[in-house]
Amino acid sequence: MADTGWPGCAKSLKGVILDLCGVLYDSGEGDGVAISGSVEAVKRLKASDLQLRFCTNETQATREKFVAKLRRLGFDISVSEVFPPAPAAISVLKQRGLRPHLLVHEGLLPEFDGVDKTDPNCVIIGDAAEHFSYQNLNEAFRVLIGLEKPVLFSLGQGRYYKETDGLKLDVGVYMKALEYACDLKAEVIGKPSPTFFQSVLNDMGLKPHQALMIGDDLVNDVGGAQFCGMKGVQVRTGKYRPSDERHPTVIADGTADNLAQAVDVILSQRGH
Amino acid sequence: MADTGWPGCAKSLKGVILDLCGVLYDSGEGDGVAISGSVEAVKRLKASDLQLRFCTNETQATREKFVAKLRRLGFDISVSEVFPPAPAAISVLKQRGLRPHLLVHEGLLPEFDGVDKTDPNCVIIGDAAEHFSYQNLNEAFRVLIGLEKPVLFSLGQGRYYKETDGLKLDVGVYMKALEYACDLKAEVIGKPSPTFFQSVLNDMGLKPHQALMIGDDLVNDVGGAQFCGMKGVQVRTGKYRPSDERHPTVIADGTADNLAQAVDVILSQRGH
C-alpha cells in the first residue's frame, strides 16, 4: 500500500504546485528578493519527472509582468505555468454576464482591458494596496449598496503578507469590510477556493491525491489544498509564524524551513 | 396597569434620549443641515417635564466643537447633555492602564491631549473618514499584531451613515477589517454597548423602563436601547431604509416620519 504520510507520499506524487510570494521570493521595493536556495530548488523540480505549476493570489500585476519579474529574479518560469485569480475572474464574469466595478491595483487593470465595465452590476476587489483609500472603498461600497442583488468577488482572502519592509494588509481585510458594510458574503476567486485549485489540477491532468501544494500561508495554501484532497506542506518563510504550528484547525502534512529543504526531501524520497 | 406599548408608554416616561446625526441634522459640507422640524421638536421636549439627553457615536470632533456646531444649526444644547464615545474611552484607558495608538479623525485628537500615547499597548479607532488610508490602517494593524495581547477599541460599530452627498462608510467597517486581519474581537465603546447607554441613564437617575431612545439606526440606536430595557423608536430620516421595517431581529417599538412627528406623539400622549 502506498505511503500517504509526509514525506513518504512524495514517492507517488505526479505533480507539485508552488505558491510564489513568500516561497520563491519576498516582495518589496522593486522586484523584491529571491529567498535563499529557491531558484535552485525550482530548477531541480523542473529537471525531475514531476509536473510543476505555480498557483498564486498575486493581483498587483498582469500575468506577463509578474512572470517577467520572476524571470529577472532568476526563476525559469513561463506564463502558461502560472495561475493567478484575475484570468479566473474574467471567465466567471463571461459565464454570468457580469460587468465589474474594479477596485484593484493599477498594475492589474490591463488584464481587464477587454471586459465591459459600463453600468457595473458587480464589484471585484484585489490586493489594491495604497489604492485602498477611504474614497475608493466608499465608491465600491456605493456601487454594491445600489444594486438589487449585490455581488462581490474577492481575488483571494488573505489577511496580510510580508514585504521586505514589514507586514502589509491583504485583500481579505477589505473583503470583510465590504461584507459587513453591505451585509453580504463575497465570492472568493483564488486560493483557497476549491474551483481555483481544481483548475490547476485539470491543467496538469492529475487527481488531487497525486499532487502536493507548498506554500507559506497555512490556511489558504495548505488548508485549501488539503480541502481538495491534495497534500499540503508549509515552509517557514514569508508570512509563516510559529503559532501556525499550533493552529486549531489546519495541520500541515509537513513543514520545511524553506523551499530548498522541502524539495530536498521530496527528491530524496524519489531516489534523486 | 401602565401601558407598555407605543405610543401609550409615553405617558409614564421620565426621560428621552436622542441620537443626533440623522435625527436632528444631516451631516455634510460645513455644518450640515437641520432636519425639518427638529429644532422646534427639541425645544418642545426641553419645555416639557421630560429629562433630555443626547447619545451619539459622533467621533469626528471634540464634544465642545460638536456642540458649537449643533448650536449654530439652531439647537439649544449644552455640552453636559451630550454623550459621545471618546470621553467614555478615556475612562476605560485610565481604569485599565492602557496607552492607545489612535486612528481617529484629526478633529477628535484634542480629546486625547492628556492621554499617554507612548509605547502603545492598544489601538482605538473612530470614524476617521478620509484618514482611513491604506497606510494608516496598516499602521494600526502593525501595532496590534505586534502586541502579545492585542486590544482593539472601536468607537461605535456603524456600517455607514448618510451625508448630504451620499452614504459614507463608518467605523464598524474598519473594525471588522482589523478584527479579521488580527483574528481578534474588538471592544465597542459607544452605541450599542449596554455600558454606554447605562452611563446616560445613570446621569438622568432613571431606570431603563422610564426612558425612550429615538434614533435613525435600527440596530445601534433602537436595538441597543431595547437590549438595555428601554423603548426604542426609529425615525424615517438619516440612514433609515425601508427594509429596516422588515428586519429579521430588531423590531422598533414605534416608527415616526421624523423627530417632529415622534415628539408630537409623545407630548400628545402626555396631554400637552
Side-chain angles (χ1 to χ4, degrees):
Chain A
M1 197 179 139
D3 187 345
T4 59
W6 170 262
C9 68
K11 292 187 191 76
S12 55
L13 285 178
K14 304 266 187 209
V16 171
I17 305 174
L18 300 183
D19 177 36
L20 289 166
C21 182
V23 178
L24 267 60
Y25 73 103
D26 281 321
S27 63
E29 278 295 302
D31 290 337
V33 289
I35 292 170
S36 176
S38 61
V39 169
E40 182 65 20
V42 169
K43 200 176 287 178
R44 292 182 68 198
L45 281 175
K46 284 217 150 183
S48 78
D49 57 346
L50 287 162
Q51 290 200 63
L52 182 60
R53 296 291 185 280
F54 304 90
C55 186
T56 175
N57 277 0
E58 163 67 37
T59 58
Q60 288 203 353
T62 61
R63 202 148 52 147
E64 288 69 22
K65 288 213 165 175
F66 181 47
V67 169
K69 176 178 88 169
L70 294 168
R71 295 184 66 90
R72 283 195 299 275
L73 288 171
F75 296 102
D76 173 22
I77 293 179
S78 63
V79 168
S80 63
E81 295 165 327
V82 176
F83 291 76
I90 291 169
S91 299
V92 172
L93 293 174
K94 280 183 189 151
Q95 281 160 27
R96 291 164 56 178
L98 292 170
R99 300 176 306 277
H101 170 90
L102 299 173
L103 176 45
V104 300
H105 196 279
E106 59 187 354
L108 191 67
L109 287 174
E111 288 273 18
F112 292 89
D113 270 349
V115 173
D116 181 8
K117 294 177 281 286
T118 55
D119 188 20
N121 54 10
C122 71
V123 167
I124 295 182
I125 58 169
D127 169 20
E130 276 72 17
H131 296 266
F132 276 129
S133 63
Y134 180 73
Q135 197 185 329
N136 287 349
L137 198 67
N138 208 57
E139 204 179 323
F141 158 68
R142 287 185 184 182
V143 170
L144 284 171
I145 204 90
L147 294 172
E148 200 179 341
K149 288 185 183 168
V151 177
L152 172 62
F153 294 105
S154 185
L155 304 182
Q157 62 173 23
R159 293 167 193 263
Y160 53 84
Y161 52 91
K162 193 184 164 195
E163 294 213 326
T164 45
D165 63 344
L167 297 178
K168 297 278 176 90
L169 290 170
D170 199 357
V171 63
V173 169
Y174 291 89
M175 174 189 86
K176 289 289 172 186
L178 287 175
E179 283 187 344
Y180 180 70
C182 305
D183 197 17
L184 56 77
K185 187 93 186 110
E187 300 180 38
V188 176
I189 297 179
K191 297 176 287 185
S193 155
T195 321
F196 192 62
F197 281 115
Q198 191 56 54
S199 70
V200 186
L201 289 171
N202 292 349
D203 189 66
M204 295 195 285
L206 298 183
K207 298 232 172 348
H209 71 272
Q210 298 173 312
L212 168 75
M213 173 81 207
I214 302 177
D216 64 328
D217 185 320
L218 184 71
V219 171
N220 293 300
D221 293 330
V222 174
Q226 289 175 333
F227 185 81
C228 293
M230 287 186 262
K231 296 288 172 194
V233 165
Q234 188 181 23
V235 285
R236 294 191 185 93
T237 52
K239 79 178 69 171
Y240 163 85
R241 286 158 63 94
S243 60
D244 290 344
E245 300 191 42
R246 305 182 298 273
H247 194 278
T249 56
V250 182
I251 301 165
D253 292 290
T255 310
D257 283 344
N258 50 41
L259 180 64
Q261 194 192 64
V263 170
D264 257 353
V265 172
I266 292 168
L267 296 183
S268 70
Q269 284 288 324
R270 299 171 71 85
H272 289 267
Chain B
M1 197 179 139
D3 186 345
T4 58
W6 170 262
C9 68
K11 293 187 191 74
S12 55
L13 285 178
K14 304 264 187 213
V16 171
I17 305 174
L18 301 183
D19 175 36
L20 289 165
C21 183
V23 177
L24 267 60
Y25 73 102
D26 281 320
S27 63
E29 278 294 303
D31 289 339
V33 290
I35 292 170
S36 176
S38 62
V39 169
E40 182 64 22
V42 170
K43 200 175 287 177
R44 292 183 67 197
L45 282 175
K46 284 216 150 183
S48 77
D49 56 348
L50 287 162
Q51 290 201 61
L52 182 62
R53 295 291 185 279
F54 303 91
C55 185
T56 175
N57 277 1
E58 164 67 38
T59 58
Q60 288 204 352
T62 62
R63 202 148 52 149
E64 287 69 22
K65 288 214 165 176
F66 181 47
V67 169
K69 175 178 88 169
L70 294 168
R71 295 183 68 88
R72 284 195 298 274
L73 288 171
F75 297 101
D76 174 22
I77 293 178
S78 63
V79 167
S80 62
E81 296 165 327
V82 176
F83 290 77
I90 291 169
S91 300
V92 172
L93 293 174
K94 280 184 188 150
Q95 281 162 27
R96 290 164 57 179
L98 291 170
R99 301 176 306 277
H101 170 88
L102 298 173
L103 175 46
V104 300
H105 196 279
E106 60 187 352
L108 191 67
L109 287 174
E111 288 272 18
F112 293 89
D113 270 351
V115 172
D116 181 7
K117 296 177 280 285
T118 54
D119 188 19
N121 53 9
C122 70
V123 168
I124 295 182
I125 59 170
D127 170 20
E130 277 71 19
H131 296 266
F132 277 129
S133 63
Y134 180 73
Q135 198 186 329
N136 286 348
L137 197 65
N138 208 58
E139 204 180 324
F141 158 68
R142 287 185 184 182
V143 170
L144 284 171
I145 204 89
L147 294 172
E148 199 178 344
K149 288 185 183 171
V151 177
L152 172 63
F153 295 106
S154 185
L155 304 182
Q157 62 173 23
R159 294 168 192 264
Y160 52 85
Y161 51 91
K162 195 184 162 194
E163 294 214 325
T164 45
D165 63 344
L167 298 177
K168 298 278 176 89
L169 290 169
D170 199 0
V171 64
V173 169
Y174 291 90
M175 173 189 86
K176 289 289 171 184
L178 288 175
E179 283 187 344
Y180 180 71
C182 306
D183 197 18
L184 56 76
K185 187 95 185 110
E187 299 181 37
V188 176
I189 298 178
K191 297 177 286 183
S193 156
T195 322
F196 192 62
F197 281 114
Q198 191 58 53
S199 70
V200 185
L201 290 170
N202 292 350
D203 189 66
M204 294 195 285
L206 298 183
K207 298 232 170 351
H209 72 272
Q210 298 173 311
L212 168 75
M213 173 82 206
I214 302 177
D216 64 328
D217 186 320
L218 184 70
V219 171
N220 293 300
D221 293 330
V222 173
Q226 288 175 334
F227 186 81
C228 293
M230 287 187 262
K231 296 289 172 194
V233 165
Q234 187 181 23
V235 285
R236 295 191 185 93
T237 52
K239 77 177 72 170
Y240 163 85
R241 286 159 62 93
S243 60
D244 289 345
E245 300 191 41
R246 306 182 297 273
H247 194 277
T249 54
V250 182
I251 300 165
D253 292 290
T255 310
D257 283 344
N258 50 43
L259 180 64
Q261 195 193 63
V263 170
D264 256 351
V265 171
I266 292 167
L267 296 183
S268 71
Q269 285 286 324
R270 299 171 70 87
H272 289 267

